[in-house]
Structure formats: C-alpha cells, structure tokens
Amino acid sequence: MLLFSIVFETGCNSNQKEEDIKDLIVYGGTSGAVIAAIQAKKMGKSVVLVSPDTHLGGLTSGGLGWTDTGKKEVIGGLSREFYQRVYDKYSQEDNWKWEAQEEFGNKGQGTPAIDGEFRTMWIFEPHIAEEVFNEWVKEVGLEVFRDEWLDRENGVIVKDGKITSIKMLSGKEFKGKMYIDGTYEGDLMAASGVSYHVGREANNVYGEEWNGIQTGVYHHRHHFQVLESQIDPYWIKGDPSSGLIPRISENDPGIKGEGDHKIQAYCFRTCMSNHPDNRVPFPRPANYDSTQYELLVRIFDNGWDEWFGKFDMIPNRKTDTNNHGPFSSDNIGMNYDYPEATYERRKEIIREHEDYQKGLLYFVANDPRVPKDIQEEFQNWGLAKDEFIDNGNWPHQIYVREARRMVGSYVMTENELLKKKATPESIGMGSYTIDSHNIQRYVDSEGHVQNEGDIGVHIPGPYEIALGSILPKKEEITNLVVPVAVSSSHIAFGSIRMEPVFMILGQSAATVAMMALDQDLAVQDLKYQDLKSELLQDGQVLTMEDAIQ
C-alpha cells in the first residue's frame, strides 16, 4: 500500500505548479499533521502536506500501538474515525496472520482493545496504522511531499505578521494562505519567530505543584525505591574516585520546584514478536559495549524481576514495548539538546538512542550476567520480521515525548487539568493521567543512584483544551496554527501529548485555519461560537455534554 500511495502522490504532484498559492500548507508527518490536512481537504480546500518523514503517522504508525486512550468517550471526530478504520482493518481475516482473533483477547489500556458496539479498535500493529493513513490520504486526494525538510535558517518568509512561503532544504518552496506546524519539534513555529519554551518551568511560573524539578517524588515503578536495597553508582563500590558507571550524571539534580531546560527521556516503542516464524534475533550494534549496562546488572543482582512488565500485547503475537523500571529503554539525560539541535545533531542523538536500545536488547538476550530465567524467556522474542521492513525492523520514529512547546495566546497548565481553573473556548478534550517520564539519573546525598522526573498524577476527569493553546500570540504570527507543540506547561503537556489528542487538535487546527481564511481573519480573531458550531457538526467532543456514550 505504501508503494502504491507514493506512486499516486508523485503522479498528482507532477500536475501541480509549486508556485501556486494553496489555502493551507501543513508541515509535519505526525498523526496530528495528517489529520489536519485531511480535515482541510474535507472542507474543500487546496492543501499540501509537506512531511520531513517518509512514513506518515508519527508514533501512531511508529510503534505506539497500545494507545494511550484515556477516556474513549471524549475522542471524537477524525481521531475516532482513525480507530474505526483500524477496526475495519482487523475485521478482515487476512490481517490475523500470526494468531486467530479469538486468541488475542480484548485487553486495552483502560478500555477494551476492540469495541464492537462503537466499531473502534484501540490496539494495533504499526503497519496497519500506516496503511490506514496512506489509504486515507489517497482517498481524499491529498497532495503529499515526503522526505522534505524545512530550511530552518532561511526558509521561512514572514511579512506583516504572516508566513508567505516556506522553503525546504531540497529547494522546493511552498506558498500558502494558512500554515499548520504539525511536527513534534515545533520547527516551523520556531523558525517563524513564535515564542516557545524548552524544559520545565518553575512551579511559581504558573502556580503549579508538579512542574519543575521533582526530587524525592516516586509515583511509578521507574525509580530505585522499588528495589530491596539501593544501588552504588561507582565502579568500585563505595569509592567515588573509581568513577561513575555509565548512564549516571555527575551533576546535582537541582532544587525541587525550580525550573530547568531538561526534557523527558526518549525511547523507541519497539515491536517484538514471539512467533518463531515472524521474529529476527536482536541485532548486535557495531559499537556494542556491554559496560553501558552495568547498572542493569546491579539492578538484576538486587532481585528486580520486572523485565517483561511493559510488553503490551498487540495483534498477531507482537508487542508495543515501552520503558519499565529503574533502567530500561528510556535513555535518560541523553536528549537535552534535541529540540533546538540541527538536523545533523538530531540524527546523532537518534542514532545514539538506537544503539543504546538495541544494545540493551542484545545484552539481555546474550550476556551471561543476566538472570538465567529472564534470559531464557527473552530469547523467545525478537524484532517483528514484518514490521518496519525498510528500516531493519526498527521503528522509524523516535518517541519525542517533549520538545519545544509554544508560548501562545493561552497556556494550558496543571490547574486546568486538575479543575482548579476553568478552561476557555474548548476545541477538544484530553483525559490521560498527568504523566512525565524520568528526566535525570544522578547520585543522591547518600551516595546512591536515583532517577528524577517521573510523575503520574490522576486527574478528576476529562478536561477541555483551550483554543488559545494552538494559536500563537497575535502580535507574532496571524496565519499559523500549532496543534502538536501546543502552548502548555511541561507538566500539562505530559497529559495533552497523547496521540489521539494530537489528532483531535489537528482537526480543530485545520478548521480554525480554514474558517479564518474564509472570513479573511487572523486565526486569533475567529469567533469561537462559529468555530464551536463547526467542530460539533464534525463530531468533535468539546465538553462532557458531548461525550460519546
């Protein structure tokens, strides 16, 4: 399906004049970007999707198949339609190749994996998600340019508060009346001169409790407090002069509640298989160094036995494997410069993460220091042979949990999520726990290893997301909407950043842009009541009164 889609798009592109001014240019290949472009096409507009990625869908098609649903009744519009299209895919017997559907069961994250009543499926394989996006793009006749990278230095032309054109490193130029930045990194937003923030704000910036440095907070099982005894960080135990073992920072973590410019750890959501005919052995990286996993050896020696704790099963005997425990796939502290980095530096960071995580898998499968029972069970697994086949069965998208976040017309904070403060002008809802992965690994005051930054705060129920959170300040840019690198505090983004929400916000962003275009308005001047009516008509859930029951 991918090859057919690319042929279609190339043929479509050959009949287009690049100098034509389109109604909307969407930059990005994430799920939010794709849905934004589809929505604008459904509104009858001329649209171009310019994707730096070859594969469409971001994390949704990049390994995150165990969907962070939250409350499914607040997922509406095209976001819900995506999961309905996944359901339709798995209604075809041919898509159950490695196990029968009745063998899969129906376990999902807070909701049944397969909801027959509403014909939605929330748990899926990466290639199925990508097929859905590719077929949908073809169905609406969307013009797509893949592997096109924004010239971040000189490629964005702004005149009188409006973006007039964007140029790619390839030399291609795209002119639009409206623009959407649908990237995880917020590259178009930043290059346009829009205000943004990287890292954690201090708690006193927005009157929050869970933002900033969180030393001494242990909410999940991703810290060293889960062990029977604490771990010594030095090569010679008790001897600081022997040096720290790898993957531990020598820096002080900072003062609780203060801000910093550090971000959540990244990882790849690996798709593994335990089917003998559909697995490949975990590869040994060319620069493999077993000493990088000395900390894991000490954790295993401490009796930790939760290695398989986040092998979440998706159809056909595969997994969406996520980080779990004190030392796992999250590459803590190795991504701080990623949001602002050059493309070349980002590639280096991604490669380092890939080498680290591949090395971790190889280590557990082969190193004699790994407990025998864990190793023998793990040797039944491998990378899924029929996933990511053009990338050595490795995910094509790193999990950018957090990068730049716009400081826009309205900033979402934990106060809106925890219902301490009302949210104005809802354009969709979120409902996932306030969630941050670890940000630092350091030596505490007692000389032990500790992780910091992992937060899990339950919310009282689904919350509304403000229109202003996807809009830049009017004095900066008036024809740009940002549905992924949204305007929110670090800790609020920890809940908003879920893939179904990005699709919800992508649809709303396109609706805002196209309605403002029709009325010849700055995106900030569109009347909310007009927008609200259109969003509800298109099936979006804006308040609990609209929830799908």
Side-chain angles (χ1 to χ4, degrees):
M1 181 55 63
L2 175 59
L3 292 177
F4 181 83
S5 179
I6 291 174
V7 170
F8 166 81
E9 291 157 9
T10 303
C12 178
N13 294 342
S14 65
N15 295 323
Q16 299 291 325
K17 295 181 179 180
E18 291 180 16
E19 64 267 28
D20 288 348
I21 299 178
K22 303 296 184 182
D23 292 327
L24 177 65
I25 307 296
V26 179
Y27 180 66
T30 65
S31 61
V34 176
I35 292 299
I38 289 172
Q39 171 65 10
K41 282 292 292 185
K42 290 171 72 70
M43 295 177 74
K45 304 302 182 181
S46 59
V47 187
V48 173
L49 177 63
V50 184
S51 171
D53 310 302
T54 302
H55 300 271
L56 298 182
L59 260 297
T60 294
S61 60
L64 207 167
W66 180 261
T67 304
D68 300 310
T69 9
K71 301 295 184 182
K72 66 183 187 299
E73 59 266 28
V74 300
I75 300 172
L78 297 181
S79 183
R80 174 169 285 260
E81 184 175 339
F82 169 82
Y83 298 101
Q84 290 170 334
R85 287 172 178 256
V86 170
Y87 178 95
D88 291 342
K89 282 282 185 182
Y90 283 107
S91 296
Q92 302 169 25
E93 188 175 347
D94 289 349
N95 284 324
W96 294 94
K97 183 176 181 180
W98 304 109
E99 69 178 339
Q101 180 174 344
E102 55 270 21
E103 295 173 352
F104 171 60
N106 203 24
K107 182 181 178 183
Q109 187 175 176
T111 185
I114 306 171
D115 187 338
E117 179 183 0
F118 290 98
R119 297 183 63 82
T120 52
M121 188 161 176
W122 307 96
I123 309 297
F124 47 83
E125 298 158 278
H127 78 272
I128 290 291
E130 188 170 1
E131 283 181 12
V132 168
F133 285 124
N134 284 331
E135 291 171 4
W136 209 347
V137 161
K138 176 179 179 294
E139 178 185 310
V140 300
L142 180 62
E143 188 177 5
V144 180
F145 290 81
R146 303 178 190 238
D147 195 22
E148 290 289 349
W149 298 80
L150 180 68
D151 180 347
R152 292 157 54 192
E153 296 298 321
N154 304 298
V156 180
I157 305 301
V158 177
K159 184 177 180 181
D160 298 328
K162 290 185 176 182
I163 303 172
T164 60
S165 67
I166 60 174
K167 181 185 275 188
M168 304 298 116
L169 293 179
S170 68
K172 288 188 177 71
E173 187 176 12
F174 300 92
K175 297 180 179 180
K177 300 170 185 175
M178 292 286 175
Y179 293 81
I180 286 177
D181 183 341
T183 63
Y184 292 123
E185 296 85 359
D187 281 344
L188 175 56
M189 168 194 72
S192 304
V194 170
S195 299
Y196 62 85
H197 186 80
V198 176
R200 296 182 282 191
E201 300 90 350
N203 273 336
N204 61 12
V205 173
Y206 297 118
E208 297 175 295
E209 179 181 359
W210 301 109
N211 208 340
I213 297 164
Q214 295 291 317
T215 48
V217 176
Y218 311 114
H219 282 175
H220 291 123
R221 296 187 62 77
H222 311 316
H223 50 77
F224 288 83
Q225 260 43 38
V226 300
L227 306 178
E228 292 182 3
S229 58
Q230 295 303 293
I231 303 294
D232 189 284
Y234 303 109
W235 279 112
I236 299 174
K237 295 180 180 180
D239 181 6
S241 67
S242 66
L244 292 169
I245 61 177
R247 307 287 164 175
I248 303 171
S249 172
E250 62 183 10
N251 297 322
D252 185 271
I255 299 172
K256 184 176 181 181
E258 289 192 351
D260 59 22
H261 293 292
K262 300 172 182 176
I263 57 175
Q264 296 185 59
Y266 295 172
C267 70
F268 290 91
R269 299 288 285 248
T270 47
C271 185
M272 304 183 190
S273 172
N274 65 356
H275 194 292
D277 299 327
N278 192 41
R279 68 174 188 235
V280 294
F282 298 114
R284 186 182 193 273
N287 60 352
Y288 175 70
D289 176 7
S290 65
T291 65
Q292 294 297 307
Y293 311 103
E294 173 66 24
L295 183 55
L296 181 59
V297 172
R298 297 186 184 189
I299 292 169
F300 280 143
D301 289 346
N302 199 276
W304 186 74
D305 61 355
E306 300 178 27
W307 175 252
F308 300 95
K310 282 299 291 178
F311 279 47
D312 294 317
M313 298 306 299
I314 61 177
N316 286 306
R317 290 177 61 174
K318 300 176 191 175
T319 69
D320 167 0
T321 309
N322 195 14
N323 176 76
H324 182 72
F327 186 102
S328 185
S329 58
D330 275 4
N331 196 5
I332 300 172
M334 303 300 288
N335 62 341
Y336 297 154
D337 58 334
Y338 179 91
E340 302 272 45
T342 63
Y343 292 134
E344 291 73 19
R345 175 60 184 144
R346 284 182 185 170
K347 288 177 182 177
E348 291 174 357
I349 294 169
I350 291 169
R351 171 58 66 182
E352 195 279 333
H353 278 67
E354 182 176 337
D355 287 344
Y356 162 76
Q357 201 165 333
K358 283 182 174 178
L360 175 65
L361 300 176
Y362 182 84
F363 177 87
V364 175
N366 294 280
D367 196 282
R369 292 172 292 173
V370 174
K372 184 177 180 181
D373 58 338
I374 291 175
Q375 189 164 81
E376 288 180 348
E377 183 177 350
F378 194 48
Q379 287 171 348
N380 293 322
W381 294 88
L383 299 179
K385 186 186 294 185
D386 60 352
E387 298 289 350
F388 313 118
I389 56 177
D390 64 346
N391 197 43
N393 310 113
W394 193 256
H396 45 71
Q397 175 67 60
I398 194 170
Y399 196 168
V400 180
R401 288 190 171 94
E402 178 181 27
R404 298 186 185 96
R405 286 171 282 106
M406 180 169 65
V407 180
S409 297
Y410 190 90
V411 180
M412 292 289 295
T413 73
E414 71 176 41
N415 297 311
E416 286 84 1
L417 277 60
L418 296 174
K419 306 296 177 68
K420 296 178 180 179
K421 183 178 178 182
T423 304
E425 300 183 334
S426 174
I427 55 166
M429 300 191 76
S431 62
Y432 201 79
T433 298
I434 295 175
D435 176 79
S436 172
H437 280 235
N438 277 309
I439 293 173
Q440 303 180 85
R441 178 180 290 129
Y442 64 98
V443 181
D444 66 20
S445 60
E446 297 179 356
H448 301 134
V449 186
Q450 193 50 267
N451 294 338
E452 182 275 324
D454 189 90
I455 297 292
V457 178
H458 291 289
I459 57 176
Y463 56 88
E464 300 164 10
I465 301 172
L467 168 61
S469 69
I470 64 171
L471 301 178
K473 297 172 183 175
K474 188 178 178 181
E475 60 268 25
E476 294 180 341
I477 295 288
T478 61
N479 67 337
L480 173 69
V481 191
V482 184
V484 178
V486 297
S487 178
S488 71
S489 69
H490 153 76
I491 199 61
F493 192 73
S495 173
I496 294 169
R497 65 182 176 83
M498 305 306 158
E499 291 288 302
V501 178
F502 285 152
M503 288 190 270
I504 290 168
L505 297 181
Q507 179 177 354
S508 293
T511 306
V512 169
M514 295 303 89
M515 290 184 69
L517 177 64
D518 286 343
Q519 299 178 36
D520 193 24
L521 297 172
V523 292
Q524 295 87 354
D525 290 340
L526 181 66
K527 291 183 178 179
Y528 176 67
Q529 288 304 316
D530 293 343
L531 172 65
K532 177 181 178 181
S533 176
E534 185 73 20
L535 294 178
L536 290 174
Q537 183 176 320
D538 287 343
Q540 290 279 55
V541 176
L542 305 184
T543 69
M544 285 306 295
E545 293 180 1
D546 317 317
I548 300 168
Q549 303 287 356

